[in-house]
């Protein structure tokens, strides 16, 4: 392939990647809202949507692999306008990917905090049940922690 052909292929593939990462960013933003709800069903839908986008990204990566591998040697031989376009597109992809990573990290922190909060509530509930069973009302005639017999 000629360098300009590879540049066009890379430009198109990078544009597709950017669109996929922007879609993932939208899914990630919806994920935070879904985490706050107590309904797990929307989370399953988000996972399926993410899987679909990841499959498209893998297909794009396979399609552009050869041109991407050749690009370092061909870059200087490509026309200046196409070379600049590929560079701009790569910068756009990097910027969206950076935002996506930040968003996913925030969602992971939120999920961790929600998990910790839920575990804390469950532990407190279990502890309360243990205390009640140890010190709560007993059958008639059972000894209690503090027997108050009148002498």
């Amino acid at each position: 392939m000629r360098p300009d052909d590879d540049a066009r292929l890379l430009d198109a593939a990078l544009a597709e990647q950017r669109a996929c990462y922007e879609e993932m960013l939208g899914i990630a933003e919806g994920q935070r809202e879904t985490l706050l709800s107590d309904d797990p069903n929307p989370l399953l839908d988000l996972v399926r949507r993410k899987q679909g986008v990841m499959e498209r990204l893998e297909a794009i990566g396979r399609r552009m692999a050869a041109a991407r591998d050749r690009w370092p040697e061909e870059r200087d031989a490509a026309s200046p306008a196409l070379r600049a376009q590929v560079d701009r597109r790569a910068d756009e992809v990097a910027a969206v990917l950076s935002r996506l990573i930040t968003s996913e990290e925030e969602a992971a922190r939120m999920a961790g905090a929600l998990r910790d909060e839920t575990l804390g509530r469950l532990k407190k509930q279990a502890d309360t049940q243990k205390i009640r069973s140890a010190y709560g009302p007993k059958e008639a005639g059972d000894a209690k922690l503090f027997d108050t017999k009148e002498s």
Side-chain angles (χ1 to χ4, degrees), residues 81-113:
L82 282 172
R83 186 172 55 234
Q85 178 60 31
V86 170
D87 289 346
R88 272 192 306 275
R89 191 77 71 186
D91 289 344
E92 291 170 3
V93 169
V96 174
L97 188 55
S98 176
R99 289 181 17 231
L100 174 60
I101 290 168
T102 299
S103 181
E104 287 289 349
E105 288 170 346
E106 288 172 6
R109 280 192 295 275
M110 177 185 280

Side-chain angles (χ1 to χ4, degrees), residues 35 106-119:
L35 284 172
E106 288 172 6
R109 280 192 295 275
M110 177 185 280
L114 290 170
R115 180 200 61 224
D116 293 346
E117 179 184 326
T118 301
L119 288 174

